[in-house]
Amino acid sequence: MKRRIAILGSTGSMGTQALQVINQFPDIFEVELLSAYSNSDLLIQQAQKYKPNVVIIIDETHYQKVKNALAQEDCKVFAGMKSLIDCMTMNSIDMALSCIVGIAGLAPAFAALENEIPLALANKETLVVAGELMIQKTKEKQVPIIPVDSEHSAIFQCLMGEQGNEIEKLILTASGGPFRGKTTAELKKVTCEQALKHPNWNMGNKITIDSATLMNKGLEVIEAKWLFNIDLDRVEVIVHPQSIIHSLVQFADGSVKAQLGLPDMKLPIQYALTFPKRLESLFPRFSFADYPTFTFEKPDFNAFPCLSLAYHASREGGNKPCVLNAANEVAVAKFLKGEIKFTDIPKMIENALTNTPFAQPKTVGEYLEVDKGVRYKL
Ligand code: MN3
């Protein structure tokens, strides 16, 4: 029997790459559900090609168009976030792959776990905002979260066969982004166009800006803390501009394991979908001869304050990582529209953290309220 996959956020960078992976293994996978926010044209094309049983367009203004276009197909078409959450009760889904960007992915990911659907998670913001709730749910329902983020996939792979062995340290690698080595004064003048040119990875706009500010690494530190149940002080970041070592684990005996590969998100996507198996892939292979030099440097916490802000928010806990994430989502959207400077991004986040009193949300709904409150003020 084929593994039936629900792809949440199928039209973005990760979603389209996930479909490329699935396309390589027609005997192993089938697409059960596709959802997209508003890219109705691509969603329609994907539905015609992959023949899912359910298609969901989140932005309801596109519903009639999608419904009409798929009238001849044997699939149900729904609209809205509530429909997506409701569909996570379908017992025909063997795995949900969440490629949604931002906090929008929280409620459907939580619903998947609630309904005992294994979750392949590319949407790191879900764990940043509500890691404690998500991890509690995985334990209660005995259902796994398989990381898709390349660093976390690397760590997950390094931990195979290490059950019961104490982790001394997790070392997350960072490319350093397009502005590595720049000073604060230089960063004041950078443009959106420059920020969108990532040296190694081909990704969506939001995460590409997050990589330029190093907030992406900050979010990943928090993601690692929850996924691998480790104290924040044991999660380190090292800049590795070649992006070949995807992350490392140091064990109690001092031994360090690393996972390497070319920077291509299809690799961690495929590993998450086929786990615990490894299937032959057509991806180009990494060659040491092509990369004679690996370099490493400490991240510049002064020029890139977002990384410190993330550690700080996670140490405070409660609603603070949610505030950090909300302010970052707003700031990045404003930067992409040319409304603020690159160096205003950390300022907006720091202000939001200072101006929001500590609270301890207890449900997904309460986290979404915190998020809304921060957005309303910015
Ligand atoms: Mn990553």
Side-chain angles (χ1 to χ4, degrees):
M1 198 158 153
K2 293 186 194 176
R3 195 177 257 197
R4 296 162 296 181
I5 313 288
I7 303 185
L8 286 57
S10 67
T11 57
S13 170
M14 290 295 284
T16 51
Q17 293 183 79
L19 284 170
Q20 287 170 30
V21 170
I22 285 175
N23 203 32
Q24 298 294 322
F25 303 103
D27 300 334
I28 295 171
F29 301 116
E30 65 189 337
V31 179
E32 178 65 13
L33 175 151
L34 290 175
S35 84
Y37 180 67
S38 62
N39 189 344
S40 46
D41 291 323
L42 184 54
L43 181 63
I44 290 163
Q45 280 177 35
Q46 290 177 338
Q48 286 163 341
K49 177 165 182 187
Y50 293 97
K51 313 276 180 209
N53 284 317
V54 174
V55 172
I56 300 164
I57 182 86
I58 303 297
D59 181 345
E60 305 191 7
T61 61
H62 295 260
Y63 172 67
Q64 209 54 48
K65 176 180 167 187
V66 178
K67 173 110 180 124
N68 293 346
L70 299 177
Q72 306 304 317
E73 303 287 331
D74 183 21
C75 76
K76 297 189 190 82
V77 179
F78 301 115
M81 181 51 87
K82 190 177 176 299
S83 299
L84 177 57
I85 293 168
D86 289 346
C87 283
M88 291 299 109
T89 58
M90 287 164 56
N91 53 21
S92 56
I93 299 172
D94 296 318
M95 176 176 254
L97 170 60
S98 177
C99 303
I100 295 172
V101 178
I103 194 176
L106 172 57
F110 190 77
L113 294 180
E114 182 73 61
N115 295 302
E116 300 175 19
I117 298 173
L119 179 64
L121 191 63
N123 170 227
K124 67 193 79 184
E125 293 91 340
T126 279
L127 285 174
V128 169
V129 169
E132 197 167 2
L133 275 188
M134 291 290 290
I135 297 302
Q136 268 171 14
K137 196 51 79 179
T138 64
K139 288 180 183 155
E140 181 195 324
K141 298 289 181 178
Q142 295 284 303
V143 64
I145 296 178
I146 318 275
V148 177
D149 205 348
S150 61
E151 296 78 1
H152 306 75
S153 174
I155 291 167
F156 187 73
Q157 294 179 54
C158 290
L159 290 174
M160 287 299 118
E162 299 287 356
Q163 280 70 16
N165 288 332
E166 198 200 324
I167 301 170
E168 197 165 77
K169 211 198 266 185
L170 298 180
I171 306 165
L172 298 184
T173 51
S175 70
F179 303 140
R180 181 174 61 89
K182 284 204 189 301
T183 63
T184 308
E186 289 168 328
L187 288 173
K188 279 187 179 146
K189 296 175 207 142
V190 300
T191 65
C192 185
E193 215 176 19
Q194 292 169 316
L196 285 172
K197 280 198 188 114
H198 195 278
N200 303 333
W201 293 96
N202 168 23
M203 306 179 291
N205 282 355
K206 196 259 174 181
I207 186 174
T208 304
I209 301 302
D210 284 346
S211 298
T213 60
L214 290 199
M215 180 55 93
N216 182 51
K217 213 48 55 180
L219 299 178
E220 289 180 353
V221 166
I222 304 174
E223 182 186 11
K225 161 182 142 164
W226 292 117
L227 274 174
F228 305 111
N229 185 28
I230 191 163
D231 194 272
L232 212 60
D233 296 323
R234 291 176 185 251
V235 185
E236 265 183 31
V237 173
I238 189 84
V239 174
H240 164 50
Q242 295 79 26
S243 295
I244 297 297
I245 300 179
H246 296 314
S247 279
L248 312 93
V249 181
Q250 182 174 311
F251 293 94
D253 61 356
S255 181
V256 178
K257 279 168 83 173
Q259 187 263 339
L260 286 71
L262 290 172
D264 182 340
M265 286 311 299
K266 291 196 284 299
L267 211 148
I269 292 169
Q270 176 172 319
Y271 187 74
L273 292 178
T274 65
F275 172 80
K277 287 193 178 147
R278 291 183 186 275
L279 299 185
E280 189 177 344
S281 79
L282 302 172
F283 314 139
R285 269 35 178 178
F286 164 71
S287 154
F288 277 97
D290 294 340
Y291 288 85
T293 311
F294 282 1
T295 60
F296 305 93
E297 59 198 52
K298 283 186 182 164
D300 184 345
F301 285 90
N302 290 319
F304 299 94
C306 285
L307 185 53
S308 314
L309 289 170
Y311 272 100
H312 173 72
S314 185
R315 281 206 180 90
E316 287 198 71
N319 58 343
K320 295 290 179 167
C322 181
V323 173
L324 172 96
N325 179 69
N328 182 55
E329 287 190 29
V330 173
V332 169
K334 282 183 187 283
F335 176 69
L336 283 167
K337 281 193 237 157
E339 293 173 9
I340 61 169
K341 282 189 296 193
F342 186 78
T343 44
D344 293 333
I345 297 174
K347 284 182 197 154
M348 276 184 75
I349 298 165
E350 191 169 9
N351 284 338
L353 284 170
T354 312
N355 296 331
T356 311
F358 179 89
Q360 182 59 68
K362 290 190 180 64
T363 62
V364 168
E366 287 178 19
Y367 278 107
L368 295 177
E369 283 304 313
V370 171
D371 176 83
K372 246 197 233 168
V374 173
R375 284 167 198 270
Y376 179 72
K377 284 189 210 148
L378 289 173

